[in-house]
Amino acid sequence: QVQLVESGGGLVQAGGSLRLSCAASGRTFSGYAMGWFRQAPGKEREFVATITWSVGRTYYADSVKGRFTISRDMAKNTVYLQMNSLKPEDTAVYYCAVSKGGGSPYDYWGQGTQVTVSS
């Protein structure tokens, strides 16, 4: 059973930085994709970034491109989201998720970590 545990959220001022971590366990992730999503109060969950586990190819939502960086440490089975130049509109619960790749849906989700950016 795949388990995902996020950490690293918190309160930060606008313009600041945070790094989120997602520790994954339960299987090998070769060929899989790992993603970050977020959900703000009263809004739908939205895609933030994704990385292919084996090759490390990355994709970003336009709203975070140039400010956020997704990466992975294969030895630690951990995915990171480095968030710089944070804005109040980045405030949300951030979720880590796993997909089997190739356009498959994200089947496994973490519990989420709160990120709050004050103005």
Side-chain angles (χ1 to χ4, degrees), residues 95-119:
Y95 298 92
C96 173
V98 173
S99 160
K100 292 179 181 176
S104 298
Y106 287 84
D107 292 324
Y108 302 98
W109 294 82
Q111 82 288 352
T113 185
Q114 176 71 47
V115 171
T116 303
V117 184
S118 62
S119 56

Side-chain angles (χ1 to χ4, degrees), residues 57-92:
R57 186 172 297 149
T58 59
Y59 301 92
Y60 297 91
D62 287 343
S63 59
V64 306
K65 208 171 288 184
R67 299 188 298 122
F68 291 11
T69 302
I70 188 171
S71 62
R72 86 273 193 244
D73 185 327
M74 298 172 79
K76 295 182 178 179
N77 259 17
T78 300
V79 178
Y80 303 98
L81 186 68
Q82 177 67 43
M83 305 185 294
N84 298 328
S85 302
L86 282 161
K87 305 175 182 179
E89 51 264 44
D90 294 318
T91 295

